[in-house]
Amino acid sequence: MHIEYDRENDTAYVSLVEHIADGAAVRQIPVDGVGVDAEVFLDVDASGRLLGIEVIGAGGALPVEVLRGASTG
C-alpha cells in the first residue's frame, strides 16, 4: 500500500496494488458519508478488483498522521 498526498489540491490517493497501469481503473465508485468537505472514490479494474482510493478534501477526511507519512506529489 502506498499513499500519495497533493497538499496544494488537498487530494490523496491510496494505492492498494504496487502499480496501476494507465487505463487499468475502468470504474470509479463514489462513497457516501465520508464528510461534508470530502469526496471519496474507489478505483476498480475490469474484474471488479479494488486498485485504489482517491480522497478529495483529504485534510478533512484522513487522520493527520496518515497525511504526514504520505509521499507528496
Side-chain angles (χ1 to χ4, degrees):
M1 181 170 64
H2 174 77
I3 302 171
E4 188 166 326
Y5 180 50
D6 179 346
R7 284 178 172 70
E8 185 176 324
N9 295 303
D10 194 25
T11 302
Y13 194 82
V14 180
S15 297
L16 301 175
V17 295
E18 190 170 326
H19 175 71
I20 301 173
D22 288 340
V26 298
R27 196 166 127 217
Q28 284 194 316
I29 303 168
V31 177
D32 293 329
V34 175
V36 178
D37 296 328
E39 294 179 78
V40 175
F41 298 91
L42 306 178
D43 285 346
V44 297
D45 68 10
S47 299
R49 186 176 75 153
L50 183 60
L51 302 174
I53 303 164
E54 181 180 15
V55 183
I56 301 169
L62 296 175
V64 174
E65 304 82 32
V66 170
L67 298 177
R68 274 193 213 128
S71 300
T72 57

